[in-house]
């Protein structure tokens, strides 16, 4: 049932660390734009050990939760069901709560990535490269299953990580080849490069940006721009930022939690840009 403006409902983002999260800024901007005056959105520092007790304390006023690391897999046993999208990568970043206590998990990172790429004119690519092999990399593979028609090369630091990425590729129906991180500069020649690594990891690659780069999707947003994204943009390449991803996945969360669609993408993006500029 669509939310009424007078309903008092709660939502929040959970994770550890969580102080840096922009999710409250984005969701609150959406509530204001949608006229949901009784809605609130908070952040809670919650680790895997504390998560079950937090769920036990959820009352009927809760509409939903956003989840960041390290909770995206830990939350699954606490849910009544999860979507096919979430199941495909074994990770949940969105929980929708109903007043009768039912809790359903979804993953909006994957369609959020696809939407961010499409916003920048990327509907389909013949091949792609992924830098990194963590949880975000598996979501990137799932997104590439929808937009990449050929091979994906994942650049990783260990054979264990390489094996994981190949397994994810088999599970998602994506042709994955792995290469060692020491050869990561070769990734920059791909039609689409998705950087999923922590801050600073790709800085050394900035000097290897080709003369005519194609598209870089860097999932970081703070600090921004990264050294790689800055050099890429200077060389004339297209850059999709972590804020693009964050906004698009949050739009989908707002729509699921409030029952209102479309969520106010532009207002949410402006709020996110303003908050980052003030940091």
């Amino acid at each position: 049932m669509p939310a009424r403006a007078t309903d008092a409902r709660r939502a929040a983002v959970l994770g550890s660390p969580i102080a840096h999260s922009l999710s409250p800024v984005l969701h609150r901007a959406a509530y204001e734009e949608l006229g949901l005056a009784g809605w609130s959105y908070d952040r809670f520092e919650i680790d895997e050990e504390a998560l079950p007790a937090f769920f036990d304390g959820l009352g009927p006023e809760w509409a939903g939760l956003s989840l960041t690391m390290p909770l995206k897999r830990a939350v699954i046993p606490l849910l009544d069901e999860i979507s096919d999208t979430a199941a495909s990568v074994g990770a949940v970043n969105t929980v929708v709560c109903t007043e009768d206590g039912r809790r359903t998990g979804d993953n909006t990172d994957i369609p959020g990535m696809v939407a961010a790429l499409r916003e920048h004119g990327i509907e389909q690519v013949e091949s792609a490269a992924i830098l990194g092999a963590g949880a975000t990399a598996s979501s990137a593979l799932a997104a590439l299953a929808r937009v990449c028609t050929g091979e994906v090369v994942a650049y990783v630091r260990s054979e264990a990580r390489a094996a994981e990425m190949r397994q994810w590729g088999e599970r998602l129906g994506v042709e994955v080849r792995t290469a060692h991180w020491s050869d990561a500069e070769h990734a920059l020649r791909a039609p689409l490069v998705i950087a999923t690594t922590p801050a600073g990891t790709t800085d050394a690659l900035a000097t290897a940006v080709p003369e005519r780069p194609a598209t870089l999707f860097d999932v970081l947003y703070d600090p921004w721009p990264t050294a790689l994204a800055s050099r890429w943009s200077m060389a004339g390449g297209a850059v999709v930022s972590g804020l693009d991803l964050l906004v698009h996945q949050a739009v989908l969360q707002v729509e699921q939690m409030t029952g209102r669609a479309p969520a106010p993408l532009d207002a949410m993006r402006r709020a996110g840009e303003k908050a980052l500029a003030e940091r």
Side-chain angles (χ1 to χ4, degrees), residues 2-221:
R4 298 185 300 271
T6 54
D7 284 341
R9 302 299 302 280
R10 295 188 69 184
V13 60
L14 315 181
S16 182
I18 202 62
H20 69 288
S21 176
L22 274 184
S23 291
V25 171
L26 303 182
H27 285 252
R28 290 168 187 169
Y31 299 163
E32 182 176 358
E33 193 76 9
L34 293 170
L36 299 175
W39 283 60
S40 64
Y41 189 101
D42 303 298
R43 63 165 66 91
F44 292 94
E45 181 82 17
I46 301 288
D47 60 15
E48 293 145 301
E49 186 177 352
L51 188 61
F54 186 91
F55 263 68
D56 287 343
L58 295 176
E61 75 277 10
W62 282 90
L65 299 167
S66 307
L67 300 166
T68 186
M69 298 305 292
L71 305 178
K72 293 183 179 183
R73 289 188 168 86
V75 72
I76 293 175
L78 305 176
L79 303 175
D80 295 296
E81 63 177 316
I82 64 173
S83 68
D84 290 342
T85 302
S88 73
V89 292
V92 165
N93 79 324
T94 306
V95 175
V96 176
C97 307
T98 59
E99 293 187 15
D100 64 1
R102 190 166 184 80
R103 297 156 186 167
T104 302
D106 193 14
N107 186 309
T108 64
D109 285 332
I110 296 165
M113 282 187 175
V114 174
L117 286 167
R118 286 178 176 164
E119 186 179 43
H120 285 77
I122 308 298
E123 296 281 347
Q124 193 174 86
V125 292
E126 294 181 355
S127 61
I130 294 178
L131 300 174
T136 306
S138 62
S139 292
L141 269 181
L144 288 171
R146 306 182 185 190
V147 300
C148 184
T149 59
E151 182 183 69
V152 176
V153 183
Y155 291 82
V156 301
R157 294 188 184 277
S158 70
E159 177 52 39
R161 288 292 198 179
E164 286 179 9
M165 289 299 284
R166 291 192 294 267
Q167 288 170 3
W168 280 117
E170 291 178 10
R171 181 171 176 175
L172 295 164
V174 179
E175 182 185 351
V176 175
R177 178 167 63 86
T178 55
H180 194 268
W181 184 264
S182 59
D183 294 324
E185 65 180 47
H186 297 307
L188 309 186
R189 303 189 190 107
L192 172 61
V193 181
I194 303 182
T196 69
T197 52
T201 307
T202 62
D203 287 359
L205 296 176
T207 58
V209 172
E211 287 186 11
R212 295 182 179 179
T215 300
L216 170 68
F217 191 162
D218 195 325
V219 303
L220 296 173
Y221 62 85

Side-chain angles (χ1 to χ4, degrees), residues 211-277:
E211 287 186 11
R212 295 182 179 179
T215 300
L216 170 68
F217 191 162
D218 195 325
V219 303
L220 296 173
Y221 62 85
D222 187 17
W224 185 262
T226 63
L228 180 60
S230 179
R231 187 67 171 263
W232 197 279
S233 184
M234 288 173 60
V239 176
V240 186
S241 75
L243 182 61
D244 293 323
L245 167 59
L246 191 66
V247 171
H248 277 285
Q249 64 83 26
V251 159
L252 297 170
Q253 289 185 333
V254 168
E255 291 174 353
Q256 290 190 32
M257 293 178 193
T258 68
R260 297 283 192 91
L265 172 68
D266 290 341
M268 295 168 70
R269 191 197 306 277
R270 286 194 301 271
E273 290 172 343
K274 181 174 184 287
L276 285 176

